[in-house]
Amino acid sequence: MAVRSHMQQITGMTTCGSYEKYLGLPPIVGRSRYNTFKSLKERVWMKVNSWKNNFLSQAGKEILLKAVIQAIPTYSMSVFRLPRRLCKEIPAVMARFWWGHRQNDRRIQWRSWFKMGDSKKRGGLGFRDLESFNKAMLVKQCWRILNNPSSLVAKVMKEKYFKEDRFLEARLGYAPSLIWRSLWYSISLVKESLRWRVGDGS
């Protein structure tokens, strides 16, 4: 405590007693991934309930859902594989808002949210399938590690998880972190999408 107080006086900084979030992400993920990331659903629910549903057109609802609600879990999805249950509950909240539901309302949903995710050419509105989007974000991180082996994250992952192997041949290993488990899950998708291209060697 004395050392901490001395460092505070020198640097003029304050101490933080809570470490629930670091850069917007949980520093420790317990056994229940759902409980760890449940705050994302709560943030979505708070946003949706704060909007005046009666004064919004369908176009206004579409813009709010796409620009605000779908952006809330994006950062977490680029690092962690979110629980499937959560990826279903967040769209359920979005669907209730779209069809004009309040907390205790029960109205008919005239079209499934899965079909609402189709492109507008196919009769949908282009809402994201969160589970597929989560996979795409993780595959993007795998691609970055594959293309930039000199980056800090690639070096750290290599030293810890695939020191003697190439990234695409990496194993899950013993007691891996959730970040590595999420990336390792996406490696198979990267392999499926890779193609050889004949060139001049440059």
Side-chain angles (χ1 to χ4, degrees), residues 91-92 94-96 98-99 108-118 122-128:
M94 294 169 63
R96 292 187 69 179
W98 176 262
W99 296 110
I108 297 173
Q109 295 189 12
W110 296 103
R111 191 174 177 84
S112 72
W113 196 252
F114 178 76
K115 291 183 178 178
M116 295 280 280
D118 287 342
R122 296 181 178 179
L125 285 171
F127 291 113
R128 288 175 186 161

Side-chain angles (χ1 to χ4, degrees), residues 78-198:
S78 65
V79 181
F80 298 105
R81 182 187 174 198
L82 298 187
R84 184 172 295 178
R85 176 183 168 190
L86 194 63
C87 290
K88 290 181 178 178
E89 288 181 353
I90 292 176
V93 174
M94 294 169 63
R96 292 187 69 179
F97 173 74
W98 176 262
W99 296 110
H101 295 216
R102 292 191 177 180
Q103 188 167 1
N104 297 318
D105 277 352
R106 290 195 175 276
R107 296 186 186 178
I108 297 173
Q109 295 189 12
W110 296 103
R111 191 174 177 84
S112 72
W113 196 252
F114 178 76
K115 291 183 178 178
M116 295 280 280
D118 287 342
S119 65
K120 292 187 177 181
K121 290 182 179 179
R122 296 181 178 179
L125 285 171
F127 291 113
R128 288 175 186 161
D129 175 9
L130 292 187
E131 194 171 355
S132 298
F133 183 69
N134 194 182
K135 291 178 183 177
M137 295 296 287
L138 292 171
V139 167
K140 188 176 181 181
Q141 295 297 341
C142 290
W143 184 248
R144 285 177 175 170
I145 292 174
L146 198 60
N147 276 330
N148 301 301
S150 60
S151 64
L152 179 61
V153 65
K155 289 179 178 178
V156 170
M157 291 296 178
K158 183 171 180 62
E159 283 297 315
K160 189 166 185 182
Y161 296 110
F162 54 100
K163 195 169 185 177
E164 305 298 330
D165 300 315
R166 294 191 305 165
F167 176 65
L168 294 178
E169 280 73 44
R171 299 178 182 179
L172 185 59
Y174 175 73
S177 65
L178 181 58
I179 295 176
W180 174 247
R181 191 184 292 273
S182 301
L183 292 174
W184 185 82
Y185 165 78
S186 304
I187 289 177
S188 59
L189 296 174
V190 177
K191 289 180 180 179
E192 289 176 13
S193 305
L194 287 177
R195 297 290 183 273
W196 286 101
R197 186 173 66 180
V198 178

Side-chain angles (χ1 to χ4, degrees), residues 42-56:
E42 291 168 357
R43 285 175 60 194
V44 167
W45 184 252
M46 287 173 62
K47 283 283 185 185
V48 164
N49 282 338
S50 67
W51 293 332
K52 299 294 182 182
N53 213 344
N54 296 335
F55 300 104
L56 290 171

